[in-house]
Amino acid sequence: MHIDIISVSPDLLKSPFEHSIIKRAQDKDLVTIELHDLREFGIGNYRQIDDYQFGGGAGMVLMIEPISNCIEKLMQKRNYDEIIYMTPDAKTLTQVTANKLSLAKNLLILTGHYKGVDQRIRDKYITKEISIGDYVLTGGELAAAVLCDAIVRLIPGVLGDETSALTDSFQDNLLSPPVYTRPAEYMGMKVPEVLLSGNFPKIEEWRTEQAYKRTKEIRPDLLND
Ligand code: ADE
C-alpha cells in the first residue's frame, strides 16, 4: 500500500510513523508513506495557502489553488482508491471503514487546518471524508496519523500474530474481554479460574460472555447497531 498525505505541518506527522509497528511495516515494504508540504504549492513570494472566507467570519480557509495543484501533481503519478479529507464535519471512523481501507493500493489523505478547505476542493476531488471523533483538533494531522495507524496494522504481515487484529475490540461490534498475564495472583487479586483451566472451548465461551457484558455496560449503542 502507498499513502500520500498532504499537510500544512508535515513535521507533525513524522514521529508517529517512525516508531514501532508502523515503522516496521515500512521497513518491510508493506506500506510506504509520503508526506507532502502544502506550503510548497503556496502562491506568490509568501507561498500563500490560506485566505479570509467569503461572507465574513472568523478563521482562515485553505485556498483551492495550492491544494488543487498538489493533488493534480500526485494524481499524475498514482490512481487513488480513495482521496480522503480529514475533518470533524464527517462520519466518524469505525473499524469497518478501517477494514475496507486496508484493502486499498493507493490512498491520498488531505489534512485540513484553520476553518478547513475551500468547499470546491471537497466537491471536486474528495471521495471520502472522515472524522476521528466528535471534537475539534487544531488540524487534521493527528487525525490522519490515527487513520493510518488503524489501517496499516490491518495489512497482512504487519502484525506478527495474524489473528490478533481479528480479536480486537469492534471487529465483531463488541469490546474486547479482559486480559491477564503472570502472576496468577497479585496482592490477593486472582486471575479468573477459567483462564488457568486449559479448557479452550470454555475459555472462548467466557471471553464472549465478558465481551458482551463489557459492551452492554460501556457501549450499549454497539449492541443496538
Ligand atoms: N480535524 C480537526 N478535528 C478533526 C477530527 N475530529 N477528525 C478529523 N479531522 C479533524
Side-chain angles (χ1 to χ4, degrees):
M1 179 188 291
H2 179 82
I3 306 176
D4 284 307
I5 307 178
I6 304 172
S7 162
V8 176
S9 311
D11 284 350
L12 243 182
L13 273 163
K14 280 189 184 146
S15 174
F17 302 137
E18 284 173 355
H19 305 277
S20 185
I21 291 170
I22 307 299
K23 173 166 191 304
R24 254 181 284 140
Q26 292 172 92
D27 291 345
K28 286 202 256 173
D29 276 338
L30 295 169
V31 65
T32 46
I33 301 173
E34 224 177 303
L35 306 177
H36 305 275
D37 188 349
L38 186 62
R39 188 67 67 178
E40 287 175 16
F41 296 83
I43 295 162
N45 288 343
Y46 294 105
R47 298 206 170 272
Q48 187 183 359
I49 51 170
D50 59 351
D51 210 337
Y52 296 102
Q53 52 178 314
F54 281 127
M60 305 293 271
V61 175
L62 289 175
M63 298 161 82
I64 187 167
E65 197 177 335
I67 301 176
S68 175
N69 287 343
C70 181
I71 293 179
E72 290 287 346
K73 187 175 164 207
L74 293 171
M75 280 173 37
Q76 279 173 16
K77 199 165 161 197
R78 286 193 171 84
N79 265 328
Y80 292 104
D81 298 279
E82 298 280 5
I83 301 183
I84 300 166
Y85 175 50
M86 304 308 301
T87 173
D89 47 338
K91 285 211 172 118
T92 316
L93 177 62
T94 62
Q95 191 63 43
V96 172
T97 306
N99 288 348
K100 282 187 191 148
L101 291 174
S102 74
L103 303 173
K105 192 161 177 284
N106 293 307
L107 293 175
L108 174 53
I109 303 176
L110 172 65
T111 61
H113 242 262
Y114 319 115
K115 271 283 162 201
V117 302
D118 189 303
Q119 179 61 36
R120 289 167 291 183
I121 286 290
R122 297 168 76 163
D123 297 342
K124 183 166 160 69
Y125 296 108
I126 301 301
T127 59
K128 198 170 198 60
E129 302 191 329
I130 296 178
S131 163
I132 62 157
D134 291 338
Y135 42 81
V136 180
L137 305 167
T138 52
E141 284 78 10
L142 297 179
V146 167
L147 175 64
C148 288
D149 191 293
I151 295 171
V152 170
R153 64 190 292 282
L154 296 172
I155 298 171
V158 169
L159 292 183
D161 177 357
E162 286 294 295
T163 61
S164 71
L166 298 174
T167 56
D168 286 339
S169 281
F170 303 113
Q171 278 299 7
D172 43 14
N173 245 16
L174 292 175
L175 302 186
S176 287
V179 292
Y180 300 86
T181 185
R182 288 188 296 180
E185 185 173 343
Y186 181 71
M187 293 168 95
M189 293 182 287
K190 289 185 178 158
V191 169
E193 204 64 50
V194 62
L195 296 178
L196 310 174
S197 68
N199 182 338
F200 292 104
K202 250 210 129 61
I203 290 172
E204 259 329 287
E205 195 182 308
W206 180 86
R207 285 185 171 146
T208 307
E209 253 172 49
Q210 293 294 315
Y212 271 102
K213 185 165 169 268
R214 196 174 252 189
T215 309
K216 202 167 160 207
E217 272 169 27
I218 303 171
R219 292 289 306 275
D221 54 303
L222 292 174
L223 295 174
N224 299 334
D225 282 350

